[in-house]
Amino acid sequence: MSQSKIALVTGGSRGLGRNMAVNLAKKGLDVILTYNSKATEALEVISEIEKLGQKAAAIQLSVDDSKSFDAFFEKVQQTLQSKFNTTKIDFLVNNAGIGVYNSFAETTEDQFDSLVKIQFKGPFFLSQKALAYMNDGGGIVNISTGLARFSLPGYAAYASMKGAMETLTKYQAKELGTRGIRVNIVAPGAIETDFGGGVVRDNAGLNAMIAGQTALGRVGLPDDIGGVVAFLCTDDARWVNAQRIEVSGGQSL
């Protein structure tokens, strides 16, 4: 039996990351997912993936602590050998993140620094470290936001980090092409998850407003996103490279 390709998904214990991990398994990939604090939820995702007939493992990772990445990848290598009987991953999905909602005028330096570490510096150096553990011909999927294209007050710092990730994606694609590594970025619109304190899911007024601004007439769900990320980690997407793919139902057109 041939070796399944392996995807590493950061922040895979809940929300969009969980949906991505499960959809990757549905496409026949094995999955290593990371969690920050939610170990129990991570084990539930592993169980869900194993029911689909794929292998899965979970490793703790604090994306805001780039000094921990070497030790993290040592654990990845041990896990690859013990659980997957291989030494390399094929795909990296940089999903882990936080939402900070504050006006430009009131954004604090601490909020800004936290966003830099988690949304930009973390994925930048995690991807860099991952290169030594990646097979040629694989790929990286970064995650942006519709807010990098349209503006809703309160997301200046958050969206700026995602704009940086969109630029980085093109440079990664250009420089990693010699290894056959494709790099794309998926930009979800507003989604009903517990992200940012569940504001889109739980605030009926905001939910209705966004639905009214979306061509397909509703707010997004995690199921709308995971399959697109999984597609980018298959041979069907082998000629998709350096692309920003917005998955927003046509929000703010």
Side-chain angles (χ1 to χ4, degrees):
M1 193 171 138
S2 66
Q3 168 78 45
S4 291
K5 294 201 166 165
I6 300 168
L8 171 61
V9 181
T10 67
S13 62
R14 62 197 177 98
L16 289 186
R18 177 182 187 135
N19 194 270
M20 292 169 196
V22 170
N23 273 282
L24 283 158
K26 286 178 180 171
K27 295 274 191 195
L29 283 85
D30 292 337
V31 181
I32 298 175
L33 57 105
T34 78
Y35 63 93
N36 183 23
S37 58
K38 300 195 180 301
T40 307
E41 285 90 335
L43 291 173
E44 288 168 9
V45 183
I46 289 175
S47 167
E48 199 172 341
I49 289 170
E50 287 174 343
K51 282 182 190 148
L52 293 166
Q54 297 301 134
K55 293 179 186 168
I59 304 173
Q60 197 280 331
L61 172 68
S62 303
V63 180
D64 64 348
D65 180 14
S66 54
K67 300 282 184 289
S68 72
F69 293 172
D70 283 334
F72 166 73
F73 275 110
E74 282 171 23
K75 283 187 191 153
V76 169
Q77 191 153 50
Q78 289 161 8
T79 304
L80 284 169
Q81 287 167 337
S82 63
K83 181 126 197 187
F84 302 92
N85 196 28
T86 187
T87 56
K88 299 270 176 87
I89 62 169
D90 298 281
F91 296 96
L92 170 64
V93 180
N94 283 309
N95 165 70
I98 57 161
V100 169
Y101 178 80
N102 211 354
S103 70
F104 165 71
E106 294 180 349
T107 298
T108 67
E109 251 187 272
D110 282 348
Q111 287 175 323
F112 184 93
D113 289 345
S114 178
L115 282 167
V116 169
K117 283 193 286 192
I118 293 172
Q119 304 285 15
F120 186 51
K121 182 180 179 181
F124 189 107
F125 288 104
L126 193 75
S127 301
Q128 187 189 78
K129 299 273 185 200
L131 293 175
Y133 302 89
M134 284 184 78
N135 283 316
D136 291 354
I140 298 172
V141 181
N142 294 319
I143 305 297
S144 181
T145 172
L147 293 161
R149 174 179 64 81
F150 52 80
S151 306
L152 291 176
Y155 296 101
Y158 171 77
S160 295
M161 305 309 154
K162 294 303 196 180
M165 285 302 299
E166 292 188 8
T167 298
L168 174 63
T169 296
K170 289 184 227 173
Y171 278 84
Q172 288 174 321
K174 185 85 165 175
E175 294 187 20
L176 301 179
T178 51
R179 289 186 53 188
I181 293 174
R182 299 177 295 104
V183 190
N184 294 289
I185 190 158
V186 171
I191 306 286
E192 290 186 19
T193 67
D194 56 9
F195 186 78
V199 60
V200 173
R201 180 190 61 205
D202 302 335
N203 182 325
L206 180 65
N207 194 298
M209 183 197 82
I210 293 168
Q213 294 174 351
T214 302
L216 292 179
R218 65 171 174 84
V219 170
L221 301 168
D223 261 347
D224 297 323
I225 309 298
V228 179
V229 171
F231 156 74
L232 289 170
C233 300
T234 67
D235 281 345
D236 285 342
R238 63 187 172 273
W239 205 236
V240 181
N241 196 19
Q243 296 307 298
R244 176 192 191 270
I245 300 174
E246 185 171 314
V247 191
S248 70
Q251 187 176 344
S252 298
L253 296 175

